[in-house]
Amino acid sequence: WVQLAAGIGIAVPAWLLGLRRPPVLTAAVLLRFLPIAVLHAAGHALQVAGIGAGSVYFGTIIKATEPLIGTLIAYAVDGKAAPWYVNLTFVPIVGGIAYAAAKPGAAADLSDLASFAAVAALSSTVFFALAKLLVKRLMTADMKRRHGLDAANTYSVLTCCSAALLLAPSYAAEGPAVLAALAAAGERGSMVGRRLLLCGLYYFAYNECGFRVLDKLSPVSQAVANAAKRLVILFFAVVFLGEEASGRKLVGAGVAIAGVTSYSFARLRADAHARAKAKKAS
């Protein structure tokens, strides 16, 4: 919860001090944010829980299924199916994840995919994909003009709403125990609290930078950046967190990331073809 709430300490002062145009929020607009905030809060909670139960490395590999899940959700909601060459890129994504999760000497043993860490990471990806679909429908030109909800403000409002929704469940689940442990730890507890707050500020800055920068990049650069981001996370998980990366996990991760990159470029080609076809028809 602290990771989300820390963002409020950045967004609200920026609005009050005039450093950023404050959004114009009405009851109707907040109601549109409500389902997105529920999905975002649930996705965040499961993401953190999954990493805590497993590892950053394995969780990142599981979350490489994002293009596949997003495509399935888009098809279920809008009935839109991607071209065959886009769907073909899901083979290395799913295959790489399955290979990374399989236990050596037992190719058919994928029990790691049924672990809480894997289920939490996958569920988090589903919730975030649904939230992303709703956010895209929310971020219209009219909403940006009338309500000041550009990419950064949309994420800031979403952070405030999600943190508010997650407060009660988080406190009920861990609040008293965490506060007691921090108090008992004395100075070390204060240090942990400061690091939790700093982690939250980094988390907010990371996501806002992602909204701002990726919105400005070309589609090709965005596709490459998405794949590069996962590679950077895997690198830091091994080097700085000391997480184990077996040869199987390295190969599986490489295949899955290559699949994600292939998907990004295939998706770009499909979108360009669709635009050319629509322009020709008009």
Side-chain angles (χ1 to χ4, degrees):
W1 178 81
V2 173
Q3 281 191 325
L4 285 176
I8 299 176
I10 298 177
V12 174
W15 291 330
L16 294 177
L17 296 174
L19 301 177
R20 178 183 299 170
R21 176 191 173 189
V24 180
L25 300 176
T26 63
V29 172
L30 288 175
L31 281 176
R32 294 189 65 181
F33 267 98
L34 181 58
I36 306 173
V38 170
L39 291 168
H40 186 72
H44 176 71
L46 286 168
Q47 177 177 260
V48 174
I51 292 174
S55 68
V56 175
Y57 191 95
F58 187 62
T60 301
I61 297 175
I62 295 295
K63 290 181 72 66
T65 58
E66 182 181 359
L68 172 60
I69 292 174
T71 297
L72 292 175
I73 289 175
Y75 180 74
V77 175
D78 299 327
K80 296 180 180 179
W84 66 269
Y85 54 86
V86 175
N87 294 328
L88 190 63
T89 62
F90 294 141
V91 175
I93 296 175
V94 176
I97 292 171
Y99 184 78
K103 295 181 178 179
D109 185 358
L110 301 177
S111 57
D112 280 353
L113 292 178
S115 65
F116 174 77
V119 172
L122 189 61
S123 300
S124 169
T125 304
V126 172
F127 286 134
F128 280 139
L130 286 168
K132 183 178 179 181
L133 183 65
L134 294 178
V135 165
K136 282 188 175 182
R137 295 181 175 183
L138 178 67
M139 291 178 61
T140 62
D142 183 65
M143 291 293 283
K144 293 179 181 179
R145 184 179 66 256
R146 293 177 55 190
H147 298 280
L149 289 172
D150 55 12
N153 269 350
T154 297
Y155 178 71
S156 296
V157 173
L158 182 59
T159 294
C160 295
C161 294
S162 299
L165 290 174
L166 200 57
L167 174 59
S170 297
Y171 184 81
E174 299 180 326
V178 170
L179 292 176
L182 291 176
E187 181 59 30
R188 292 184 64 185
S190 299
M191 180 189 69
V192 171
R194 290 193 297 270
R195 289 189 176 182
L196 281 173
L197 182 60
L198 184 61
C199 180
L201 296 177
Y202 280 139
Y203 179 79
F204 181 85
Y206 156 75
N207 281 284
E208 179 161 317
C209 284
F211 269 70
R212 288 178 175 274
V213 175
L214 292 180
D215 188 49
K216 300 296 183 181
L217 290 176
S218 68
V220 174
S221 297
Q222 183 175 349
V224 175
N226 281 334
K229 177 184 71 175
R230 290 183 173 88
L231 289 173
V232 170
I233 293 174
L234 294 176
F235 172 79
F236 276 91
V238 173
V239 175
F240 292 97
L241 299 182
E243 295 184 357
E244 181 183 357
S246 63
R248 179 181 289 269
K249 286 185 178 180
L250 288 172
V251 172
V255 172
I257 296 301
V260 171
T261 305
S262 299
Y263 166 83
S264 300
F265 284 106
R267 183 78 259 180
L268 289 173
R269 178 184 176 186
D271 291 343
H273 179 72
R275 288 193 297 269
K277 186 176 180 181
K279 184 177 181 180
K280 184 177 180 180
S282 61

PDB file of all heavy atoms in Angstrom, residues 238-261:
ATOM      1  N   VAL A 238      19.232 -10.467 -10.986  1.00  0.00           N
ATOM      2  CA  VAL A 238      20.352 -11.400 -10.829  1.00  0.00           C
ATOM      3  C   VAL A 238      21.548 -10.727 -10.161  1.00  0.00           C
ATOM      4  O   VAL A 238      22.131 -11.248  -9.205  1.00  0.00           O
ATOM      5  CB  VAL A 238      20.769 -11.984 -12.199  1.00  0.00           C
ATOM      6  CG1 VAL A 238      22.036 -12.822 -12.062  1.00  0.00           C
ATOM      7  CG2 VAL A 238      19.641 -12.821 -12.783  1.00  0.00           C
ATOM      8  N   VAL A 239      21.907  -9.525 -10.647  1.00  0.00           N
ATOM      9  CA  VAL A 239      23.133  -8.868 -10.191  1.00  0.00           C
ATOM     10  C   VAL A 239      22.990  -8.260  -8.797  1.00  0.00           C
ATOM     11  O   VAL A 239      23.844  -8.454  -7.920  1.00  0.00           O
ATOM     12  CB  VAL A 239      23.576  -7.792 -11.201  1.00  0.00           C
ATOM     13  CG1 VAL A 239      24.785  -7.027 -10.673  1.00  0.00           C
ATOM     14  CG2 VAL A 239      23.900  -8.439 -12.541  1.00  0.00           C
ATOM     15  N   PHE A 240      21.902  -7.523  -8.570  1.00  0.00           N
ATOM     16  CA  PHE A 240      21.780  -6.775  -7.326  1.00  0.00           C
ATOM     17  C   PHE A 240      20.980  -7.501  -6.249  1.00  0.00           C
ATOM     18  O   PHE A 240      21.194  -7.269  -5.061  1.00  0.00           O
ATOM     19  CB  PHE A 240      21.147  -5.403  -7.601  1.00  0.00           C
ATOM     20  CG  PHE A 240      22.036  -4.493  -8.394  1.00  0.00           C
ATOM     21  CD1 PHE A 240      21.878  -4.370  -9.766  1.00  0.00           C
ATOM     22  CD2 PHE A 240      23.040  -3.769  -7.783  1.00  0.00           C
ATOM     23  CE1 PHE A 240      22.706  -3.543 -10.507  1.00  0.00           C
ATOM     24  CE2 PHE A 240      23.875  -2.939  -8.517  1.00  0.00           C
ATOM     25  CZ  PHE A 240      23.707  -2.821  -9.880  1.00  0.00           C
ATOM     26  N   LEU A 241      20.037  -8.339  -6.655  1.00  0.00           N
ATOM     27  CA  LEU A 241      19.255  -9.062  -5.659  1.00  0.00           C
ATOM     28  C   LEU A 241      19.806 -10.449  -5.391  1.00  0.00           C
ATOM     29  O   LEU A 241      19.336 -11.144  -4.498  1.00  0.00           O
ATOM     30  CB  LEU A 241      17.789  -9.165  -6.112  1.00  0.00           C
ATOM     31  CG  LEU A 241      17.058  -7.828  -6.312  1.00  0.00           C
ATOM     32  CD1 LEU A 241      15.612  -8.073  -6.722  1.00  0.00           C
ATOM     33  CD2 LEU A 241      17.099  -6.989  -5.037  1.00  0.00           C
ATOM     34  N   GLY A 242      20.773 -10.868  -6.209  1.00  0.00           N
ATOM     35  CA  GLY A 242      21.400 -12.160  -5.988  1.00  0.00           C
ATOM     36  C   GLY A 242      20.500 -13.346  -6.272  1.00  0.00           C
ATOM     37  O   GLY A 242      20.721 -14.431  -5.730  1.00  0.00           O
ATOM     38  N   GLU A 243      19.469 -13.150  -7.099  1.00  0.00           N
ATOM     39  CA  GLU A 243      18.562 -14.244  -7.397  1.00  0.00           C
ATOM     40  C   GLU A 243      19.215 -15.245  -8.347  1.00  0.00           C
ATOM     41  O   GLU A 243      20.001 -14.879  -9.219  1.00  0.00           O
ATOM     42  CB  GLU A 243      17.261 -13.713  -7.998  1.00  0.00           C
ATOM     43  CG  GLU A 243      16.468 -12.859  -7.013  1.00  0.00           C
ATOM     44  CD  GLU A 243      15.137 -12.418  -7.568  1.00  0.00           C
ATOM     45  OE1 GLU A 243      14.851 -12.736  -8.749  1.00  0.00           O
ATOM     46  OE2 GLU A 243      14.371 -11.766  -6.830  1.00  0.00           O
ATOM     47  N   GLU A 244      18.866 -16.501  -8.167  1.00  0.00           N
ATOM     48  CA  GLU A 244      19.457 -17.566  -8.971  1.00  0.00           C
ATOM     49  C   GLU A 244      18.868 -17.567 -10.370  1.00  0.00           C
ATOM     50  O   GLU A 244      17.658 -17.471 -10.555  1.00  0.00           O
ATOM     51  CB  GLU A 244      19.207 -18.922  -8.310  1.00  0.00           C
ATOM     52  CG  GLU A 244      19.812 -20.092  -9.063  1.00  0.00           C
ATOM     53  CD  GLU A 244      19.489 -21.418  -8.407  1.00  0.00           C
ATOM     54  OE1 GLU A 244      18.842 -21.404  -7.347  1.00  0.00           O
ATOM     55  OE2 GLU A 244      19.878 -22.453  -8.974  1.00  0.00           O
ATOM     56  N   ALA A 245      19.723 -17.680 -11.360  1.00  0.00           N
ATOM     57  CA  ALA A 245      19.273 -17.755 -12.755  1.00  0.00           C
ATOM     58  C   ALA A 245      19.966 -18.955 -13.402  1.00  0.00           C
ATOM     59  O   ALA A 245      21.100 -18.861 -13.858  1.00  0.00           O
ATOM     60  CB  ALA A 245      19.609 -16.470 -13.504  1.00  0.00           C
ATOM     61  N   SER A 246      19.260 -20.071 -13.437  1.00  0.00           N
ATOM     62  CA  SER A 246      19.825 -21.274 -14.039  1.00  0.00           C
ATOM     63  C   SER A 246      19.875 -21.114 -15.554  1.00  0.00           C
ATOM     64  O   SER A 246      19.268 -20.199 -16.123  1.00  0.00           O
ATOM     65  CB  SER A 246      18.977 -22.488 -13.670  1.00  0.00           C
ATOM     66  OG  SER A 246      17.681 -22.360 -14.197  1.00  0.00           O
ATOM     67  N   GLY A 247      20.606 -22.030 -16.202  1.00  0.00           N
ATOM     68  CA  GLY A 247      20.669 -21.993 -17.657  1.00  0.00           C
ATOM     69  C   GLY A 247      19.297 -22.128 -18.283  1.00  0.00           C
ATOM     70  O   GLY A 247      18.980 -21.469 -19.279  1.00  0.00           O
ATOM     71  N   ARG A 248      18.454 -22.974 -17.693  1.00  0.00           N
ATOM     72  CA  ARG A 248      17.091 -23.153 -18.206  1.00  0.00           C
ATOM     73  C   ARG A 248      16.296 -21.852 -18.120  1.00  0.00           C
ATOM     74  O   ARG A 248      15.591 -21.473 -19.058  1.00  0.00           O
ATOM     75  CB  ARG A 248      16.399 -24.267 -17.420  1.00  0.00           C
ATOM     76  CG  ARG A 248      14.958 -24.527 -17.838  1.00  0.00           C
ATOM     77  CD  ARG A 248      14.342 -25.631 -17.007  1.00  0.00           C
ATOM     78  NE  ARG A 248      14.920 -26.927 -17.357  1.00  0.00           N
ATOM     79  CZ  ARG A 248      14.415 -27.730 -18.297  1.00  0.00           C
ATOM     80  NH1 ARG A 248      13.340 -27.373 -18.973  1.00  0.00           N
ATOM     81  NH2 ARG A 248      14.983 -28.882 -18.555  1.00  0.00           N
ATOM     82  N   LYS A 249      16.408 -21.159 -16.997  1.00  0.00           N
ATOM     83  CA  LYS A 249      15.673 -19.904 -16.831  1.00  0.00           C
ATOM     84  C   LYS A 249      16.183 -18.833 -17.788  1.00  0.00           C
ATOM     85  O   LYS A 249      15.411 -18.046 -18.331  1.00  0.00           O
ATOM     86  CB  LYS A 249      15.781 -19.414 -15.388  1.00  0.00           C
ATOM     87  CG  LYS A 249      14.929 -20.206 -14.406  1.00  0.00           C
ATOM     88  CD  LYS A 249      14.990 -19.584 -13.019  1.00  0.00           C
ATOM     89  CE  LYS A 249      14.094 -20.343 -12.051  1.00  0.00           C
ATOM     90  NZ  LYS A 249      14.132 -19.759 -10.687  1.00  0.00           N
ATOM     91  N   LEU A 250      17.506 -18.803 -17.988  1.00  0.00           N
ATOM     92  CA  LEU A 250      18.075 -17.810 -18.898  1.00  0.00           C
ATOM     93  C   LEU A 250      17.607 -18.047 -20.329  1.00  0.00           C
ATOM     94  O   LEU A 250      17.215 -17.107 -21.035  1.00  0.00           O
ATOM     95  CB  LEU A 250      19.606 -17.858 -18.830  1.00  0.00           C
ATOM     96  CG  LEU A 250      20.252 -17.309 -17.558  1.00  0.00           C
ATOM     97  CD1 LEU A 250      21.743 -17.589 -17.551  1.00  0.00           C
ATOM     98  CD2 LEU A 250      19.989 -15.814 -17.434  1.00  0.00           C
ATOM     99  N   VAL A 251      17.625 -19.316 -20.757  1.00  0.00           N
ATOM    100  CA  VAL A 251      17.178 -19.640 -22.113  1.00  0.00           C
ATOM    101  C   VAL A 251      15.688 -19.353 -22.260  1.00  0.00           C
ATOM    102  O   VAL A 251      15.251 -18.740 -23.249  1.00  0.00           O
ATOM    103  CB  VAL A 251      17.473 -21.121 -22.442  1.00  0.00           C
ATOM    104  CG1 VAL A 251      16.834 -21.505 -23.770  1.00  0.00           C
ATOM    105  CG2 VAL A 251      18.978 -21.355 -22.496  1.00  0.00           C
ATOM    106  N   GLY A 252      14.899 -19.792 -21.285  1.00  0.00           N
ATOM    107  CA  GLY A 252      13.458 -19.558 -21.350  1.00  0.00           C
ATOM    108  C   GLY A 252      13.108 -18.083 -21.377  1.00  0.00           C
ATOM    109  O   GLY A 252      12.239 -17.641 -22.142  1.00  0.00           O
ATOM    110  N   ALA A 253      13.811 -17.302 -20.526  1.00  0.00           N
ATOM    111  CA  ALA A 253      13.566 -15.863 -20.501  1.00  0.00           C
ATOM    112  C   ALA A 253      13.944 -15.228 -21.832  1.00  0.00           C
ATOM    113  O   ALA A 253      13.228 -14.357 -22.353  1.00  0.00           O
ATOM    114  CB  ALA A 253      14.366 -15.219 -19.366  1.00  0.00           C
ATOM    115  N   GLY A 254      15.078 -15.654 -22.400  1.00  0.00           N
ATOM    116  CA  GLY A 254      15.513 -15.099 -23.678  1.00  0.00           C
ATOM    117  C   GLY A 254      14.512 -15.373 -24.790  1.00  0.00           C
ATOM    118  O   GLY A 254      14.196 -14.483 -25.596  1.00  0.00           O
ATOM    119  N   VAL A 255      13.997 -16.597 -24.831  1.00  0.00           N
ATOM    120  CA  VAL A 255      13.011 -16.961 -25.855  1.00  0.00           C
ATOM    121  C   VAL A 255      11.730 -16.146 -25.660  1.00  0.00           C
ATOM    122  O   VAL A 255      11.142 -15.635 -26.627  1.00  0.00           O
ATOM    123  CB  VAL A 255      12.705 -18.475 -25.802  1.00  0.00           C
ATOM    124  CG1 VAL A 255      11.534 -18.820 -26.724  1.00  0.00           C
ATOM    125  CG2 VAL A 255      13.940 -19.275 -26.200  1.00  0.00           C
ATOM    126  N   ALA A 256      11.274 -16.027 -24.401  1.00  0.00           N
ATOM    127  CA  ALA A 256      10.049 -15.282 -24.129  1.00  0.00           C
ATOM    128  C   ALA A 256      10.196 -13.805 -24.487  1.00  0.00           C
ATOM    129  O   ALA A 256       9.301 -13.206 -25.103  1.00  0.00           O
ATOM    130  CB  ALA A 256       9.667 -15.435 -22.655  1.00  0.00           C
ATOM    131  N   ILE A 257      11.325 -13.201 -24.116  1.00  0.00           N
ATOM    132  CA  ILE A 257      11.554 -11.788 -24.435  1.00  0.00           C
ATOM    133  C   ILE A 257      11.653 -11.588 -25.944  1.00  0.00           C
ATOM    134  O   ILE A 257      11.147 -10.605 -26.496  1.00  0.00           O
ATOM    135  CB  ILE A 257      12.838 -11.286 -23.742  1.00  0.00           C
ATOM    136  CG1 ILE A 257      12.683 -11.347 -22.222  1.00  0.00           C
ATOM    137  CG2 ILE A 257      13.157  -9.867 -24.183  1.00  0.00           C
ATOM    138  CD1 ILE A 257      11.544 -10.527 -21.677  1.00  0.00           C
ATOM    139  N   ALA A 258      12.291 -12.541 -26.653  1.00  0.00           N
ATOM    140  CA  ALA A 258      12.353 -12.455 -28.109  1.00  0.00           C
ATOM    141  C   ALA A 258      10.952 -12.528 -28.704  1.00  0.00           C
ATOM    142  O   ALA A 258      10.630 -11.828 -29.680  1.00  0.00           O
ATOM    143  CB  ALA A 258      13.215 -13.593 -28.665  1.00  0.00           C
ATOM    144  N   GLY A 259      10.106 -13.356 -28.102  1.00  0.00           N
ATOM    145  CA  GLY A 259       8.721 -13.437 -28.555  1.00  0.00           C
ATOM    146  C   GLY A 259       7.971 -12.138 -28.344  1.00  0.00           C
ATOM    147  O   GLY A 259       7.188 -11.706 -29.198  1.00  0.00           O
ATOM    148  N   VAL A 260       8.211 -11.495 -27.189  1.00  0.00           N
ATOM    149  CA  VAL A 260       7.565 -10.212 -26.909  1.00  0.00           C
ATOM    150  C   VAL A 260       8.001  -9.160 -27.921  1.00  0.00           C
ATOM    151  O   VAL A 260       7.194  -8.372 -28.435  1.00  0.00           O
ATOM    152  CB  VAL A 260       7.896  -9.743 -25.480  1.00  0.00           C
ATOM    153  CG1 VAL A 260       7.410  -8.317 -25.253  1.00  0.00           C
ATOM    154  CG2 VAL A 260       7.266 -10.680 -24.455  1.00  0.00           C
ATOM    155  N   THR A 261       9.297  -9.136 -28.234  1.00  0.00           N
ATOM    156  CA  THR A 261       9.814  -8.183 -29.225  1.00  0.00           C
ATOM    157  C   THR A 261       9.216  -8.462 -30.603  1.00  0.00           C
ATOM    158  O   THR A 261       8.808  -7.531 -31.315  1.00  0.00           O
ATOM    159  CB  THR A 261      11.348  -8.277 -29.297  1.00  0.00           C
ATOM    160  OG1 THR A 261      11.898  -8.090 -27.990  1.00  0.00           O
ATOM    161  CG2 THR A 261      11.908  -7.231 -30.240  1.00  0.00           C
TER     162      THR A 261
END
